[in-house]
């Protein structure tokens, strides 16, 4: 899988429309960001994205004939540990927060009083579907089927297959931050990937993506936008500068120049993200299309 994925990343990055697609995706991703002090303390934004997919997978995997299946805090803890998302305690806390926010609810059809299985509410899909759609629309300059895949998100059967395909990739060892050692400093911090994504999209229209020329950012604006402190943002940029990922200039250090290592890592990350979402969606679409053709053929033969 690793060699194949590396080759696909390289081919995608070589596409002339990829820089604009990556910029579109970064703008969409940061535009949908929802965070807060408690959420940021419990889990970084990258892990929260994966957790939402884990939750939906457990929800869709419920077997009515198996009372032990489905979505429970215990079943969520295992993939959180295997995928290195968070500790079991923090997974439980995130589930509690999702219930409080209305994204999860107690299963109304549960018959075993000793267990309290949960279900994902429509509110969770209403949160995630626009984000997924944004990813597919952003990729249209490179992936002609982006619009078709975005449209299929209105089909609950497709969403179920899509979530299963994404979860399967994580089980096989895929990680969004693969091959991007320069992003570790951002990926493990609250709103870190959002700030890194803002840097990718911050250059002038006639600059490269990620930008190769200096550009100005506002620490205060990043703080307000992503609901973290100015000290947190300033320290992240200072640490990135100390590690040679960027340089800072100006009285407040708000004139930024990305080092090649960080620019390369951001480019790889977005290529990886596109491949993850598009390959998962195509797998789901192909599976359902085959099922539809087989059902049509059986119906034709029995007619």
């Amino acid at each position: 899988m690793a060699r194949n994925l590396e080759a696909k990343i390289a081919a995608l990055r070589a596409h002339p429309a990829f820089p604009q697609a990556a910029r579109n995706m970064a703008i969409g991703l940061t535009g949908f960001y929802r965070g807060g002090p408690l959420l940021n303390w419990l889990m970084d934004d990258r892990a929260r994205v994966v957790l939402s997919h884990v939750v939906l997978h457990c929800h869709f995997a419920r077997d009515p004939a198996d009372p032990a299946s489905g979505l429970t805090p215990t079943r969520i803890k295992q993939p959180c540990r295997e995928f290195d998302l968070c500790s079991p305690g923090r997974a439980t806390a995130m589930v509690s927060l999702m219930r409080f926010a209305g994204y999860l609810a107690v299963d109304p059809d549960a018959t075993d009083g000793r267990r309290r299985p949960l279900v994902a509410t429509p509110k969770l899909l209403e949160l995630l579907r626009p984000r997924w759609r944004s990813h597919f629309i952003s990729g249209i300059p490179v992936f002609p089927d982006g619009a078709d895949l975005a449209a299929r998100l209105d089909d609950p059967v497709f969403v179920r297959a899509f979530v299963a395909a994404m979860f399967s990739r994580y089980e096989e060892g895929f990680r969004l931050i693969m091959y991007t050692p320069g992003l570790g400093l951002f990926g493990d911090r609250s709103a870190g990937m959002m700030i890194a994504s803002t840097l990718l999209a911050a250059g002038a229209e006639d600059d490269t993506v990620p930008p190769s020329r200096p550009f100005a950012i506002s620490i205060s604006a990043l703080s307000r936008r992503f609901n973290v402190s100015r000290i947190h943002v300033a320290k992240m940029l200072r640490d990135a500068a100390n590690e040679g990922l960027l340089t800072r200039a100006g009285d407040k250090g708000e004139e930024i120049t990305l080092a090649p290592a960080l620019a390369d890592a951001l480019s790889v990350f977005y290529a990886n993200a596109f491949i993850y979402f598009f390959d998962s969606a195509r797998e789901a679409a192909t599976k359902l299309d085959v099922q539809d053709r087989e059902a049509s053929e059986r119906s034709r033969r029995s007619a």
Side-chain angles (χ1 to χ4, degrees):
M1 181 185 78
R3 285 197 298 271
N4 183 47
L5 179 57
E6 287 185 88
K8 292 177 74 170
I9 289 172
L12 179 54
R13 293 178 66 199
H15 193 291
F18 170 71
Q20 185 58 49
R23 183 188 182 107
N24 294 343
M25 192 183 199
I27 292 172
L29 186 65
T30 55
F32 280 113
Y33 178 78
R34 298 293 182 272
L38 181 56
L39 283 174
N40 290 337
W41 176 76
L42 284 171
M43 189 179 291
D44 64 68
D45 39 274
R46 175 175 50 89
R48 290 201 300 271
V49 169
V50 180
L51 176 64
S52 66
H53 299 165
V54 170
V55 165
L56 280 177
H57 171 76
C58 292
H59 167 78
F60 288 134
R62 180 190 176 200
D63 180 359
D66 180 5
S69 67
L71 176 58
T72 66
T74 299
R75 291 181 65 84
I76 291 173
K77 290 177 184 178
Q78 181 177 349
C80 282
R81 183 171 52 250
E82 291 177 355
F83 300 163
D84 197 27
L85 300 179
C86 64
S87 67
R90 294 198 174 196
T92 299
M94 283 297 297
V95 169
S96 297
L97 281 177
M98 293 179 75
R99 285 189 61 186
F100 179 77
Y103 298 122
L104 300 178
V106 174
D107 186 350
D109 298 326
T111 57
D112 187 346
R114 295 168 299 177
R115 300 178 66 255
R116 300 284 285 177
L118 304 171
V119 292
T121 67
K123 185 177 180 180
L124 181 57
L125 282 174
E126 290 167 6
L127 176 76
L128 295 174
R129 191 179 282 113
R131 290 161 168 75
W132 296 334
R133 185 172 284 112
S134 174
H135 298 334
F136 294 129
I137 297 300
S138 296
I140 288 175
V142 180
F143 304 104
D145 57 346
D148 292 337
L149 294 174
R152 295 189 75 151
L153 290 170
D154 293 324
D155 178 5
V157 177
F158 173 78
V159 168
R160 180 172 185 154
F162 175 47
V163 170
M166 288 193 291
F167 185 86
S168 176
R169 279 163 172 72
Y170 254 79
E171 283 191 311
E172 293 170 0
F174 173 87
R175 298 295 182 268
L176 280 168
I177 208 162
M178 292 173 77
Y179 315 121
T180 56
L183 288 184
L185 182 147
F186 294 93
D188 295 334
R189 304 193 191 194
S190 299
M193 287 307 301
M194 296 299 102
I195 290 172
S197 296
T198 301
L199 300 181
L200 175 139
E205 288 293 331
D206 61 346
D207 198 354
T208 58
V209 181
S212 54
R213 301 199 304 260
F215 57 88
I217 56 97
S218 167
I219 291 175
S220 295
L222 290 173
S223 169
R224 291 191 300 271
R225 183 177 183 185
F226 299 122
N227 208 4
V228 291
S229 71
R230 292 182 71 258
I231 294 174
H232 177 76
V233 177
K235 185 178 188 306
M236 195 181 308
L237 295 177
R238 182 170 62 250
D239 290 348
N242 289 339
E243 292 195 13
L245 298 175
L246 53 83
T247 57
R248 304 174 66 192
D251 294 340
K252 298 180 180 180
E254 294 183 336
E255 183 179 289
I256 304 295
T257 303
L258 301 186
L262 180 55
D264 186 67
L266 285 168
S267 177
V268 169
F269 173 82
Y270 273 93
N272 205 15
F274 270 127
I275 292 167
Y276 173 62
F277 284 106
F278 272 84
D279 279 6
S280 297
R282 287 166 175 164
E283 177 184 325
T286 299
K287 177 180 178 181
L288 295 179
D289 289 346
V290 168
Q291 291 176 354
D292 287 345
R293 286 196 296 270
E294 290 175 346
S296 296
E297 181 63 19
R298 286 195 300 270
S299 177
R300 186 188 64 80
R301 290 176 178 176
S302 62

